[in-house]
Every structure is written in C-alpha cells, then in structure tokens.
Amino acid sequence: MNKIIAKERLSQEVFRIELEAPHIARERKAGQFVIVQTDVDFGERIPLTIADADTAKGSITLIFQAVGVSTHRLAELEPGAYIEAVLGPLGNPTHIENYGHAVCVGGGIGVAPMHPIAQALKAAGNKLTVIIGARNKELVILEKEMRAIADELIIVTDDGSYGRKALVTEPLKELCEAEPKPDLAVTIGPPIMMKFCAETTRPYKVKTFASLNTIMIDGTGMCGGCRVTVGGKTRFVCVDGPEFDAHEVDWNGMLLRLGAYKPLEDAAHKELHESGQCRLDALADAVMAKAGLGKSGGAS
Amino acid sequence: MHDKTQLKAEAKSVLDGLKGKTLSNKDRMAIPVQDMPCQEAAIRAGNMEEVAIGYSEEQARVEAYRCLQCKNAPCISGCPVSIDIPGFLRLSAEGDFTGAADVIRKTNLLPAICGRVCPQEKQCQLVCTLGKALKSVDKAVQIGRVERYIADRERTSGQSPIPEIAAPTGKRVAVVGAGPAGMTVAADVRREGHEVVIFEAFQKPGGVMVYGIPEFRLPKAIVSEEADKLRAMGVKFELNTLIGRTIPLETLFKEDGFDAVFIGVGAGLPKFMNIPGENYVGVFSANEYLTRANLMRAWDQKRAATPIYHSKRVAVLGGGNVAMDSARMALRLGAEEVHVLYRRTREEMPARAEEVEHAMEEGIIFDFLSSPTEILGNEKGRVTGLRVLSYELGQADASGRRSPVAIKGSEQDVAFDTVIVAIGNDSNPLLAKTTKGLAVDKRGQVLVDENQKTSLDAVWAGGDIVLGAATVILAMGEGRRAAAAINRYLI
Ligand SMILES: Cc1cc2nc3c(=O)[nH]c(=O)nc-3n(C[C@H](O)[C@H](O)[C@H](O)COP(=O)(O)OP(=O)(O)OC[C@H]3O[C@@H](n4cnc5c(N)ncnc54)[C@H](O)[C@@H]3O)c2cc1C
Ligand SMILES: Cc1cc2nc3c(=O)[nH]c(=O)nc-3n(C[C@H](O)[C@H](O)[C@H](O)COP(=O)(O)OP(=O)(O)OC[C@H]3O[C@@H](n4cnc5c(N)ncnc54)[C@H](O)[C@@H]3O)c2cc1C
Ligand code: SF4
Ligand code: SF4
Ligand code: FES
C-alpha cells in the first residue's frame, strides 16, 4: 500500500502523482520503472517509469497518460488515497556516461520517462539537446523542467499550435547533419515514433537508445509477455531492458505485439465511459465548461 | 465412476462389511480402490471449480483400510518428507482423523496442497507394497487422497491448531519468495522463536501455487489459508518487494538487521522453443497465460481488468503439469478445440497421471509424437497455425528412455490461432545478477551444500531455484532442511 501525497493534472489526459515508496526512492536510478496495481484482486499490473524521486521524503513521482481502464483508475485516486501495489524499481538503469553531445527525443508522454535520463546525462557532463514532440500545445509536458537542464530545447507539435510544426524526426535529422553530429540519441515515445527516430539516426551512425514500452505482466522476467526481438534474439524488456539499441530492435514485430489486446482494451475503455463510471469525464467537462467550451468527450 | 453419492454409498456398505472383523492381508487386498469423486467432465470444462471433489469420510476410511501396514513401509521413503504413512492410515481407518492430522503435521506443513498436487504415482504410491502385490501402481493405497481428506476435514472444522512459538530469541530471518519452499522455512524458523519476514515480489503469497496451478486443481482459498496461518504465527509478509531491486540482498543484513536469509525464489524464467514465429501475437509462455488467468483472474472477465486472448483453436506444446494446466485452462476460457503436442508418447509424459486422465475426459486432444518446427502467422503478425513434424520412438538411451526420432518429410501445416509454450522454466537470473558472490551453476541454479547453504555467509536456498523446475513437496523438503540448518546456526 502506497499513499499518494500529491497530484497534479498536467494536461487533459496527463497526470503527475507523488507517492510514498521509501525503498524504491532509495534504490531507483534513471531509466527504471515500477509496476502499479490499483486493485490487487482484479486490477491490471501496469508499468510506469519513475519520473523523479525524493530520497529525503521517501517518495517517487509518476507521470502518466490516462489511455485506458487501468490508467483511468489510477487518475481517479486523490492525495491521501492508497495505491494497493507498487513494485520496483524494475529494469536496468540507463547507462550514463559523458558521451559528449546527447540528444533526448521525447514524444507525448515519453517526455516523462525521458526527464530523469536527461537529468542524469546532463549531470554526467554531456551537452544536452532535448526535443519535445506532441500532438498539440495542450499535450506538451515538462517544458519548464526540461528547459532548466537542456542546453538547447526544441519543441515541435503535429498541428503547429506550439513550437515548430513538425515531427520530432525533422530537428533530429538536422542535428545529425550538423558538424559535429551528436554522440548519442535517446528516444522515448510511441513505438512508431521511436522506429522513425531509429531510421533517422541510422544513416549517420549516431548511437541510439530506445526505451521500449511493451505490454507487461509481472515485470520480473517470469512471463515472457514483454518479449521483443533485438538483434535477431528474443529479449525480455522488463529484465534485459527497457533500453535497447534502437537500430537493432525489430520495430514491426514490437508494433504487432503491442496491438495484441487492442480490441479488448478499447472495448473495456469504451464501456468505462459509456457506463458513466469514469469520473474523469465529469472533471474534464467541468474544466471545459469553465473555459467556455463544449463537452470534452472524455479524457482520450 | 465419479459420482459422489454413489461412491459414498458403496464405501458405506464396504465399511459395514468390515465392522468387527480382524482383517488379514488378503481381506485388505480385496477391498476395492476408492475412486475420486469428480465433477462431470462436460460440466467442469465450463467452470473454474475444483475438478476432484474429495473423498467422503466413508471412502477415506475404506481406502485407509487397504493399507497392509508393512513393517518396512517403503511408502515412507517414497515420500520426500517421510510422512509416517502407515501411521496416519491406521488412525484414519479407525476414524481418528484428528490423530491422523497430528501424525501428518509432524513432517508435512501443507497436506491439503500436497494431497492435491503431489505426483503420488511417482513418489509414495509408486513403491507401495499393495500396488506391487496387485501388479499396478493404480491399485496402490491412494495415500494422497486420504491425506487430502484428513487435511480438508481439519481445515473446514475451523480447528487447525496454530503451532506453538518458542520465546522470542531476538534473531531475525528474511525469507525471499513466498512459494512452498519459503512458506515452509518461515513456519519452521518462526516456531523456534525467531522473527520472520517473508519478502514476495507478487501481490499475493503462494508462488506457483497461486499464479501457475489453476483454481480448478488447487483452490486459491487453501493457499491463502496457509498464508493466514503463518500470519497468525507472527510471520510478517512484505509483498510487492523484489529482493535484488527493491532491497538488495546485502542490505537485508547491513541495514535491516537480519541474521539469516533464505532464498526460495523459484524457477520463473519461461523457456521457448527457439523456432521461427515465436514472437507472433497469439504465442504465449504457459507462465504468461496462466498468470493472466489465475493471479490476474482474467477468467472472470466481468470483474478483471487484465485481458485474455480469445482463442478458438489452441495448441499447447509440452507434456508436463504445466502443459495440462494450460490446455485445460484454455478450454475453460472458451476455446473450441485444444491440442497438446508432445514429442514422445503418453508413457513418457511427466504430468501427474490423474491430470492427463482428466484432460482426456474433458476432450483435450493429444497429438503424441509430434512437435512443431515453425509457428505460422499472417501479415498482421497473428498466429495462423503450426508446421508440425512427426516422430517415432527410437532406441532406449543410457537412462532407459526411448528418445524420439523425427520422421523425415512428415511436416504438415495445422491451423491454430493460439500457441502456448509449456516446455518448462529456467532459473530467474535476477537475484544472482544483483547479489555479489552468490554461486550458481551454468543453468543459473543456486549452488548449495547438503544443508542448503549457499556460497554466501548466513544465506540458504531451496526449492525450484536450486532443483530446477521440480515439485511442491520437494520444495517443501528443501525448505525443512534449510530451516533446520538456520535454526542450528542461530542458536
Ligand atoms: C517500461 C515501461 C514504462 C512506461 N512508462 C510510462 C509512463 O511513465 N507513463 C505512461 O503514461 N505510460 C507509460 N508506459 C505505458 C503504460 O504502461 C500504458 O499506457 C498502460 O499500461 C496502459 O494501461 P491502460 O489499462 O490504461 O490502457 P489499456 O486499455 O491497456 O490500453 C490503452 C491503449 O494504450 C495502448 N497500450 C497498452 N499498453 C501499452 C504500453 N505498454 N505502451 C504503449 N501503449 C500501450 C493500447 O494498445 C491501447 O491502445 C510504460 C510502459 C512500459 C513498458
Ligand atoms: C503450471 C504449473 C503446474 C504445476 N503443477 C504441479 C503439480 O501438480 N504438482 C507439483 O508438485 N508441482 C507442480 N508444479 C511445480 C511446483 O509448483 C514448483 O515446483 C513449486 O512451486 C516450487 O516452489 P518454490 O517455493 O521453490 O518456488 P515458487 O513456487 O516458484 O515461488 C517462488 C516465489 O518467489 C517469488 N520471487 C521470485 N523472485 C523474487 C525476488 N527476487 N524477491 C522476492 N520474491 C521473489 C515469486 O514471485 C514466487 O512467488 C507446477 C508448476 C507450474 C508452473
Ligand atoms: S506428501 Fe506427497 S509424497 Fe508424501 S505422502 Fe503425501 S502425497 Fe505422498
Ligand atoms: S507401502 Fe502401501 S501398503 Fe505398505 S504401509 Fe505403505 S501404504 Fe501401506
Ligand atoms: S513482463 Fe513478464 S517477463 Fe517481462
């Protein structure tokens, strides 16, 4: 049981929560994640990256997007409430060293897991460029935090409502074409974005890591549900990863596996909204009404 | 014959016939083996309730009367924890089930579980004199079934005694992993008055008994009762704690003040076949499939958030208990046709005989002497079938096992939408990887001496992490040995 001590809504569908987890706070390193369960009998076990930790307070911070049933349930919890189970820190920490010039590419919610990695790279002496990509202005998160640590911050949006109107791969390509080219790229975001980042840096032979967000169950190497093919070998993301050489990952295979439960998940998510059980809808509607807009149609 | 009422009536008339008689060995040999009452195959394939219902008192007594009370009692050495089998059978025959429970409790902490899941026909019952005399292991005294009856009777009476705990010693023992090995160590060490904390990665204690073995074979309520009993003894559980990550093993000694550690982390690393197509959508390790279904309760789709694949034609690869459980689970989750593909024949199958029999009754199809060479899929990356190669049994090897030889050119493509790989588990490397100085062999199994002591000071290990994938009772046996050594060490 882990108590939520603070909660903030970063955008319509993105939440930041801080929770008590003294052991995890003490042991965690950049790049590691936890598995969270809001209901130990019937709930799903979902992986979320540790976005930050405060060892003095014994707390960790998670930033997540309410995309389906389990993340919704989590978003409904208020400070003072308890999360029934939090397991971690899981996965291998990011290998941090002074590479020289590091470019961190975060897409959407991927900016959250990127933050501790960017922080650690900066602390190790790297020159740091951060690219934040989002569908629109409303979905840009952690701009302030990233600006505080990055030597250069580039923001792009799909619709041009903020920063440059572009996909993250455009500025990434420009950086690779520049002299000297970057020494390291790290990409975290939707798998399709990571795939294209890998394709962008490949011709320039810029070492690129991607943090994979496969479906997971135990997170301890017991089930094999998180497996992906990397360099022709089957690897378990939860124990061998989550970071891998992006040029070696079988992205198409991973994309197919991620969709395994899509129809079932979507049906469950739809039911949650239609049954009127989703308290986020009400919240979102209130926000929208205040802003003088119509009904939100739900968070995501 | 599986009908409960009828079996009970028959047993009653046998029992009445035995009243007041002094039984000769010949009389005992003439008593019929008591069948296990079961849910009808057609009905149970559609529910998650326990298949085997358990003996009635009459049946338990009649079965116990079959025991010849051999002086040398070979059955005792067949049991990994050496239960005084003729002792508890004699008391059961007389109807003294409380006395029988006391006998069992001396060596077996989890009789309700062992009675259900022990591969008796390979252990206690294999060497039973009665079975030998009647020339069939199936006719041996049904030791496990009587054991289960005794344990269930005590359980449901609400009077299972909580073992006495010695005065506090001030010593602290950490148990890593709440499977049968860890739970046994916890009980035995706690009894001596030491403080015990069990650290478990999952949200529930029980290990494979909760995430692997299905409800229809081992009700989860039994496992949680055992955990509650440990709590009543004063054992503490720290769930959702992964030793090696949440707390490094060394920290348990250095900062948390533990005096000894037991490692019982099981063999949780699923093996795959390493054939093409294994990462298609619709291919699962048995661990994943069963964890979704059992621990995450995906079988209860109305309430569970964890999804499970909707399958029509399922292929299960393997021939052990894990394969049987996966196949029967798939059936219960609504599959129309479930095949088990096994490279050898029924005789060589490592699964418990009763489970194979039950699976066959439920309509699972067994494709013996066959094994896939490739998993086939479509452009969406979903499984569409298997390329299956046929085998024949060749010469017996040194161990006397006839090994399968592929028949050239016998490949055939068979349509399936789901493939469950149930060919066993290797050791999970996490703890060895994160703990300096913990010696393991090349398969990742923790190396121990005859007292279960590892290469590290004050650290013992046992169960599947030492033996490779084994059994509940062997894990318990190792736990008892380790606990005894820990108790000696802490004096
Ligand atoms: C190592 C790791 C770290 C992660 N860190 C974060 C994080 O810091 N913040 C965050 O918001 N999310 C993170 N994720 C993704 C997060 O686990 C999923 O969003 C979550 O499991 C969805 O659960 P749900 O029940 O709400 O949605 P579901 O109903 O299960 O899914 C809703 C939609 O999300 C997609 N989806 C499901 N699981 C994943 C997944 N693992 N990755 C991507 N898409 C998925 C589904 O295809 C579906 O379209 C991480 C994943 C991994 C493996
Ligand atoms: C599907 C299936 C069916 C089976 N059927 C039978 C049967 O019919 N009869 C039979 O006798 N045996 C059967 N077995 C085998 C039997 O279950 C195992 O041999 C037995 O459970 C091993 O016990 P254990 O205590 O060593 O480990 P486990 O039961 O594996 O328990 C280990 C526990 O440790 C936890 N853990 C792992 N790493 C850590 C860590 N670092 N920190 C904290 N906790 C950790 C795990 O989460 C787990 O709960 C079956 C196994 C399976 C998978
Ligand atoms: S514990 Fe297992 S092997 Fe021992 S007597 Fe009971 S059923 Fe037989
Ligand atoms: S070997 Fe069989 S008959 Fe002999 S004592 Fe044991 S159970 Fe009874
Ligand atoms: S999530 Fe189960 S092995 Fe990785």
Side-chain angles (χ1 to χ4, degrees):
Chain A
M1 296 284 266
N2 302 62
K3 190 174 175 180
I4 297 183
I5 47 188
K7 176 181 172 183
E8 192 185 342
R9 193 168 191 161
L10 299 185
S11 77
Q12 185 166 310
E13 37 185 81
V14 178
F15 296 80
R16 170 169 28 209
I17 53 174
E18 190 182 351
L19 48 132
E20 280 175 1
H23 285 299
I24 303 176
R26 183 168 79 167
E27 295 299 329
R28 76 96 204 192
K29 296 200 174 63
Q32 290 186 299
F33 63 95
V34 288
I35 292 240
V36 173
Q37 215 182 351
T38 52
D39 163 0
V40 294
D41 283 317
F42 293 100
E44 214 176 354
R45 297 167 62 93
I46 56 166
L48 295 172
T49 305
I50 304 165
D52 205 352
D54 184 332
T55 35
K57 249 163 101 188
S59 69
I60 60 170
T61 297
L62 305 177
I63 298 179
F64 63 94
Q65 189 169 8
V67 291
V69 173
S70 304
T71 41
H72 266 75
R73 293 272 179 246
L74 189 61
E76 285 172 5
L77 297 178
E78 296 299 334
Y82 285 83
I83 303 181
E84 290 196 359
V86 179
L87 173 70
L90 302 173
N92 297 309
T94 308
H95 180 76
I96 301 289
E97 61 174 62
N98 189 349
Y99 294 89
H101 179 198
V103 181
C104 291
V105 188
I109 188 71
V111 179
M114 185 62 88
H115 183 242
I117 297 172
Q119 246 176 346
L121 284 169
K122 181 68 197 171
N126 288 279
K127 175 182 171 211
L128 182 67
T129 302
V130 174
I131 304 175
I132 295 181
R135 285 204 304 275
N136 56 48
K137 177 172 185 206
E138 149 80 350
L139 297 175
V140 173
I141 55 167
L142 300 183
E143 180 186 348
K144 188 170 86 244
E145 287 83 349
M146 285 297 199
R147 197 172 298 284
I149 54 171
D151 296 292
E152 183 188 16
L153 177 70
I154 303 167
I155 296 178
V156 298
T157 51
D158 292 6
D159 64 357
S161 53
Y162 195 54
R164 252 171 91 173
K165 180 175 185 326
L167 298 174
V168 290
T169 43
E170 271 177 48
L172 180 60
K173 184 155 189 263
E174 290 158 16
L175 287 165
C176 289
E177 279 166 348
E179 264 316 314
K181 62 182 192 204
D183 302 289
L184 177 77
V186 186
T187 169
I188 311 182
I192 193 77
M193 178 203 99
M194 294 193 278
K195 173 184 162 164
F196 284 109
C197 285
E199 291 321 317
T200 304
T201 57
R202 191 192 304 275
Y204 302 97
K205 300 201 169 54
V206 172
K207 188 186 188 69
T208 304
F209 290 133
S211 182
L212 305 188
N213 44 4
T214 49
I215 290 170
M216 291 190 180
I217 301 167
D218 59 308
T220 65
M222 187 278 284
C223 75
C226 61
R227 65 194 191 278
V228 286
T229 313
V230 182
K233 284 208 190 73
T234 294
R235 308 295 298 274
F236 290 1
V237 173
C238 68
V239 285
D240 300 326
E243 276 164 38
F244 293 98
D245 182 337
H247 297 151
E248 299 267 311
V249 172
D250 169 12
W251 292 105
N252 295 339
M254 175 173 156
L255 283 162
L256 290 171
R257 282 186 65 78
L258 266 177
Y261 293 98
K262 187 102 173 65
L264 297 176
E265 286 160 349
D266 288 352
H269 191 187
K270 193 157 158 252
E271 193 186 312
L272 180 79
H273 287 291
E274 285 176 354
S275 63
Q277 271 191 55
C278 179
R279 288 198 278 123
L280 295 182
D281 286 351
L283 270 171
D285 288 343
V287 172
M288 299 299 258
K290 218 167 150 191
L293 300 165
K295 263 197 171 276
S296 67
S300 94
Chain B
M1 235 303 294
H2 292 328
D3 183 71
K4 190 177 167 123
T5 326
Q6 202 180 336
L7 286 167
K8 178 174 162 148
E10 282 172 14
K12 186 161 186 309
S13 78
V14 177
L15 204 57
D16 289 343
L18 298 175
K19 233 176 228 155
K21 263 201 200 164
T22 328
L23 296 178
S24 68
N25 278 353
K26 220 173 130 211
D27 293 334
R28 291 181 192 268
M29 282 169 71
I31 302 173
V33 181
Q34 296 299 296
D35 282 338
M36 177 55 100
C38 286
Q39 279 195 72
E40 281 297 333
I43 296 171
R44 71 187 190 229
N47 67 40
M48 207 52 72
E49 269 134 61
E50 205 175 1
V51 168
I53 298 167
Y55 278 168
S56 57
E57 174 171 343
E58 291 80 2
Q59 279 195 285
R61 288 189 61 191
V62 170
E63 188 60 41
Y65 267 123
R66 297 182 66 233
C67 171
L68 306 174
Q69 296 291 319
C70 315
K71 290 238 158 48
N72 58 346
C75 50
I76 298 182
S77 50
C79 169
V81 296
S82 309
I83 300 182
D84 176 6
I85 295 167
F88 85 70
L89 289 173
R90 187 175 49 78
L91 292 166
S92 302
E94 291 162 4
D96 178 5
F97 293 107
T98 320
D102 291 338
V103 170
I104 294 175
R105 196 175 314 108
K106 278 194 208 136
T107 48
N108 187 348
L109 294 168
L110 308 169
I113 295 170
C114 295
R116 285 173 167 80
V117 305
C118 261
Q120 289 97 1
E121 73 278 4
K122 294 199 189 85
Q123 297 177 355
C124 51
Q125 292 170 202
L126 175 68
V127 289
C128 169
T129 315
L130 182 65
K132 296 248 151 89
L134 296 171
K135 297 196 171 53
S136 161
V137 66
D138 297 342
K139 299 207 171 110
V141 179
Q142 302 297 303
I143 300 166
R145 293 175 179 174
V146 180
E147 185 177 349
R148 165 180 168 166
Y149 175 78
I150 297 164
D152 281 356
R153 186 180 167 114
E154 186 178 73
R155 242 174 21 89
T156 49
S157 73
Q159 314 195 325
S160 345
I162 301 297
E164 255 180 70
I165 310 294
T169 60
K171 299 276 169 52
R172 304 183 73 213
V173 177
V175 171
V176 185
M183 287 170 78
T184 305
V185 170
D188 279 3
V189 170
R190 177 68 193 131
R191 269 200 279 225
E192 297 299 310
H194 309 305
E195 203 182 306
V196 178
V197 182
I198 303 186
F199 296 94
E200 166 58 46
F202 269 130
Q203 72 267 28
K204 293 202 173 137
V208 171
M209 301 185 295
V210 291
Y211 75 72
I213 305 179
E215 180 77 17
F216 58 79
R217 209 148 69 75
L218 176 63
K220 301 307 148 221
I222 296 181
V223 182
S224 65
E225 277 165 28
E226 295 301 338
D228 287 344
K229 222 169 173 184
L230 289 176
R231 287 192 184 97
M233 290 171 68
V235 170
K236 293 197 192 74
F237 282 90
E238 292 283 348
L239 302 175
N240 303 299
T241 306
L242 187 66
I243 299 302
R245 287 275 190 227
T246 316
I247 306 175
L249 191 93
E250 299 89 88
T251 307
L252 291 174
F253 290 111
K254 284 198 194 125
E255 292 178 30
D256 299 335
F258 285 99
D259 301 290
V261 172
F262 174 78
I263 299 175
V265 293
L269 184 75
K271 280 193 210 164
F272 284 91
M273 307 264 299
N274 294 318
I275 55 175
E278 216 150 30
N279 289 347
Y280 280 137
V281 176
V283 183
F284 302 92
S285 75
N287 282 0
E288 177 181 357
Y289 195 76
L290 290 169
T291 301
R292 281 179 186 273
N294 291 323
L295 184 71
M296 310 310 295
R297 309 217 194 171
W299 54 270
D300 194 350
Q301 274 296 285
K302 289 220 165 57
R303 292 197 283 172
T306 301
I308 191 113
Y309 210 62
H310 290 181
S311 313
K312 287 205 167 68
R313 289 179 53 88
V314 178
V316 177
L317 315 180
N321 286 320
V322 187
M324 295 306 106
D325 287 344
S326 306
R328 298 170 72 198
M329 182 60 87
L331 194 71
R332 283 162 175 75
L333 291 171
E336 286 161 16
E337 198 171 305
V338 182
H339 291 242
V340 170
L341 278 71
Y342 183 54
R343 230 151 50 97
R344 302 167 193 254
T345 68
R346 180 165 181 184
E347 279 64 58
E348 290 84 22
M349 275 176 85
R352 281 185 87 220
E354 194 179 54
E355 309 314 329
V356 181
E357 209 171 288
H358 284 165
M360 287 183 166
E361 287 168 7
E362 287 164 15
I364 307 285
I365 301 164
F366 285 79
D367 301 335
F368 291 116
L369 293 166
S370 57
S371 178
T373 55
E374 187 179 343
I375 299 171
L376 310 170
N378 61 17
E379 70 294 343
K380 291 192 184 131
R382 292 191 174 241
V383 171
T384 55
L386 286 177
R387 182 153 298 160
V388 183
L389 186 64
S390 297
Y391 287 77
E392 56 193 357
L393 283 186
Q395 298 295 324
D397 60 14
S399 68
R401 225 155 90 123
R402 294 177 63 191
S403 51
V405 184
I407 303 173
K408 274 210 182 78
S410 64
E411 274 115 332
Q412 263 186 311
D413 290 354
V414 190
F416 290 108
D417 54 39
T418 305
V419 175
I420 303 173
V421 185
I423 57 169
N425 288 309
D426 283 331
S427 312
N428 193 319
L430 182 83
L431 205 56
K433 201 171 89 177
T434 56
T435 309
K436 251 195 248 108
L438 182 65
V440 297
D441 67 12
K442 59 179 188 305
R443 284 144 76 196
Q445 289 161 13
V446 173
L447 292 167
V448 295
D449 69 8
E450 68 285 358
N451 290 316
Q452 308 294 134
K453 174 79 178 18
T454 69
S455 58
L456 289 174
D457 276 350
V459 179
W460 286 259
D464 279 5
I465 189 63
V466 167
L467 297 167
T471 60
V472 170
I473 189 73
L474 285 171
M476 249 190 63
E478 294 221 309
R480 298 218 79 156
R481 200 155 48 232
I486 293 171
N487 287 334
R488 283 196 301 273
Y489 170 81
L490 291 179
I491 285 173

